[in-house]
Amino acid sequence: MVNPLDRLVHALCKLPGVGEKSATRYAFHLLRSSRDDVRELAEALLAVTREMRYCAECLVPSPTDPCRICRDHQRDRDCICVVEEPADVTAIEKSGAFRGVYHILHGALSPLEGVGPDALKVHELIHRLRSNVVGEVILATNATVEGEATAAYVAQMIRPMGIRITRLASGMPAGAEVEYVDARTLAYALHERRTF
Ligand SMILES: [Zn+2]
């Protein structure tokens, strides 16, 4: 039988940024925690897989489909902001500078890591643009090599559709990830976005 502590360390190691050392530290912390705290964590973990789905429209993880943003009639459906990850939506929402809707690619092009165009939700975006009237697509991918390559690829795919394509402005520091840019900078980058 596998030692339960080893099993927990092994499971924690699968989380991003968690190495064996941190996993061991978390495991010992949990071992010392109260049963109620551990149960709360275990139930929260299970609830996420059981109750969260993906919004069929924008592909954000949500307990409802469509998600809160796609259901909101005050949002401007004419403008779609394309991001790499769900955490980018959270960051942009916090900036308060965007009233349109989103599309999550669920990744960025990375030939070195074997992530090609088919791994991204680009076809879903194209399908969406074909079946809705959309005036502008904002490419809000990261200002990293992968993010720029992704923006260029998406732009190339949708350019024939004649929709206005913009990119976050230079307020975004080179190499910056949308998720970690502060709200004011992000608001500026959105406001000053340029045609791509
Ligand atoms: Zn949605």
Side-chain angles (χ1 to χ4, degrees), residues 41-83:
L41 177 63
E43 279 171 6
L45 290 171
L46 287 172
V48 153
T49 53
R50 203 171 45 221
E51 292 161 27
M52 294 296 276
R53 60 202 80 205
Y54 289 93
C55 173
E57 192 74 11
C58 71
L59 306 172
V60 77
S62 162
T64 59
D65 177 18
C67 71
R68 182 181 53 80
I69 295 171
C70 289
R71 268 203 326 262
D72 185 349
H73 293 294
Q74 310 278 68
R75 307 286 302 215
D76 177 12
R77 259 145 238 285
D78 189 57
C79 185
I80 296 182
C81 182
V82 176
V83 296

Side-chain angles (χ1 to χ4, degrees), residues 81-101:
C81 182
V82 176
V83 296
E84 293 180 21
E85 301 292 347
D88 302 331
V89 172
T90 312
I92 294 173
E93 284 299 286
K94 236 181 244 168
S95 81
F98 182 63
R99 292 302 298 162
V101 290

Side-chain angles (χ1 to χ4, degrees), residues 5 8-9 12 21-35 37-38 41:
L5 199 61
L8 180 57
V9 170
L12 289 169
K21 208 170 151 188
S22 316
T24 307
R25 202 157 48 87
Y26 295 149
F28 278 115
H29 174 81
L30 291 165
L31 190 61
R32 282 192 307 268
S33 303
S34 74
R35 281 212 164 196
D37 282 354
V38 174
L41 177 63

Side-chain angles (χ1 to χ4, degrees), residues 55-172:
C55 173
E57 192 74 11
C58 71
L59 306 172
V60 77
S62 162
T64 59
D65 177 18
C67 71
R68 182 181 53 80
I69 295 171
C70 289
R71 268 203 326 262
D72 185 349
H73 293 294
Q74 310 278 68
R75 307 286 302 215
D76 177 12
R77 259 145 238 285
D78 189 57
C79 185
I80 296 182
C81 182
V82 176
V83 296
E84 293 180 21
E85 301 292 347
D88 302 331
V89 172
T90 312
I92 294 173
E93 284 299 286
K94 236 181 244 168
S95 81
F98 182 63
R99 292 302 298 162
V101 290
Y102 294 92
H103 184 88
I104 327 278
L105 294 171
H106 287 276
L109 289 179
S110 177
L112 287 179
E113 285 174 44
V115 184
D118 289 342
L120 308 180
K121 306 290 184 191
V122 178
H123 293 295
E124 288 80 352
L125 175 64
I126 290 166
H127 176 75
R128 208 174 153 189
L129 295 174
R130 283 204 179 116
S131 32
N132 296 279
V133 181
V134 176
E136 179 181 357
V137 169
I138 304 174
L139 298 171
T141 51
N142 293 337
T144 56
V145 175
E146 291 82 5
E148 296 293 352
T150 306
Y153 175 76
V154 174
Q156 177 202 324
M157 295 298 286
I158 62 180
R159 208 176 297 284
M161 305 175 93
I163 298 164
R164 181 176 181 227
I165 305 171
T166 54
R167 181 95 176 100
L168 292 185
S170 54
M172 279 275 285

